[in-house]
Amino acid sequence: RDGYRWLRTLDGYGMGGILADDMGLGKTVQVLSYLLAMKEGGQQLPSLIVCPASLVLNWQEECQKFTPQLQSVAMDGDAAHRAALVDGWAQADIVITSYDLLRRDEKLYAGQSFYACILDEAQAIKNHTTQKYKAVCRVNSRVRFALTGTPMENRLSELWSIFDFLMPGFLYSYSYFKKHFELPIVRDGEEAPLSRLAVIIAPFLLRRLKKDVLKELPPKTEQVLTATMDEAQEKLYAACAAQVVF
């Protein structure tokens, strides 16, 4: 309920956000409920969902299960088949494609307007220099949302990439972000820019943890296994590490 209301609120202001609930807490259902409410409110444009290829048909199944009122088109098959599916977009409420197919089919999307563009497993665009990232940013939509249980995996720049998709310029240019946030926080351990960043993004990131929601779950068990490299592997690793430019 809170996630649904949060999506509706941001939509009302024409803003985007990251729904960052842990896996299994219903991000899909929240988004489908939001899209159904938009349709019932008179919204007629289709919305685009971009996800990993393995989840395209799963999204369509979830749509049919929870919101059968929404008509969906799953973009699959070869290039000719996908081009033919475009004719059905006018009657569809949701178009579902994968990150790789969106990149390949950019010409199909060039003249199309969508209501919402929603990225599932949005950590897929954590590198803002990739063609995948540039393809999703070129999608023409009124609002944008990202779904991911891991909005930041390795680098603070990953968070910038997702927000730059959602609301370009919201976290400034990357050069400014790197100078005033990433380096001071990561390299220098400064608290002030970290606190400032947390305040800036707080209204646009909603996160629930399983331990806070599903009280009956046992505590998570973590086991660390160490793999020792042999001499040849160590030499190869050292050679690769020496070439990395930080």
Side-chain angles (χ1 to χ4, degrees):
R1 181 187 60 191
D2 292 343
Y4 163 77
R5 290 176 174 174
W6 178 78
L7 291 167
R8 291 291 305 271
T9 299
L10 291 181
D11 176 279
Y13 288 105
M15 294 178 170
I18 303 174
L19 183 57
D21 286 355
D22 268 352
M23 184 177 66
L25 295 187
K27 293 189 289 292
T28 302
V29 174
Q30 293 173 64
V31 167
L32 290 175
S33 300
Y34 152 69
L35 294 178
L36 177 59
M38 292 296 99
K39 177 181 179 179
E40 292 175 342
Q43 198 292 115
Q44 296 182 345
L45 285 174
S47 291
L48 178 66
I49 293 174
V50 188
C51 60
S54 60
L55 297 180
V56 170
L57 295 181
N58 182 71
W59 263 98
Q60 189 174 46
E61 290 174 0
E62 297 284 87
C63 181
Q64 293 168 351
K65 177 181 179 180
F66 294 112
T67 53
Q69 307 93 320
L70 297 176
Q71 300 298 315
S72 61
V73 174
M75 299 295 288
D76 58 3
D78 58 25
H81 178 68
R82 297 196 302 273
L85 289 174
V86 174
D87 293 336
W89 288 5
Q91 290 75 43
D93 301 300
I94 299 176
V95 176
I96 309 165
T97 191
S98 69
Y99 289 98
D100 289 333
L101 289 183
L102 176 65
R103 178 176 54 82
R104 296 184 202 174
D105 297 340
E106 277 196 82
K107 291 182 179 179
L108 300 180
Y109 296 84
Q112 175 66 43
S113 295
F114 294 97
Y115 183 73
C117 180
I118 299 166
L119 306 187
D120 191 14
E121 302 292 346
Q123 66 273 16
I125 63 162
K126 61 186 179 182
N127 185 344
H128 62 273
T129 65
T130 63
Q131 292 301 315
K132 186 184 301 183
Y133 169 85
K134 295 174 183 177
V136 297
C137 288
R138 283 193 280 264
V139 172
N140 180 18
S141 65
R142 180 183 178 275
V143 292
R144 295 175 172 182
F145 290 103
L147 314 180
T148 173
T150 52
M152 189 180 72
E153 292 180 306
N154 301 305
R155 297 173 180 270
L156 201 57
S157 60
E158 297 168 5
L159 190 66
W160 180 90
S161 296
I162 297 177
F163 268 104
D164 201 56
F165 158 75
L166 296 172
M167 297 179 287
F170 176 71
L171 288 182
Y172 314 98
S173 66
Y174 178 61
S175 59
Y176 182 96
F177 180 84
K178 182 177 182 179
K179 179 179 179 181
H180 295 276
F181 291 100
E182 187 175 15
L183 291 180
I185 293 171
V186 178
R187 183 188 63 190
D188 305 327
E190 295 182 15
E191 292 293 332
L194 179 60
S195 299
R196 182 186 171 205
L197 179 61
V199 169
I200 291 173
I201 69 173
F204 308 102
L205 192 152
L206 183 64
R207 181 163 178 77
R208 294 182 303 161
L209 305 178
K210 282 188 178 180
K211 65 181 181 66
D212 299 326
V213 179
L214 302 177
K215 302 295 185 181
E216 69 276 12
L217 286 180
K220 181 170 66 174
T221 300
E222 295 187 6
Q223 184 178 13
V224 178
L225 301 177
T226 303
T228 303
M229 293 185 288
D230 60 30
E231 183 178 356
Q233 291 173 322
E234 287 184 350
K235 289 181 179 179
L236 178 60
Y237 179 85
C240 293
Q243 298 179 37
V244 174
V245 178
F246 292 95

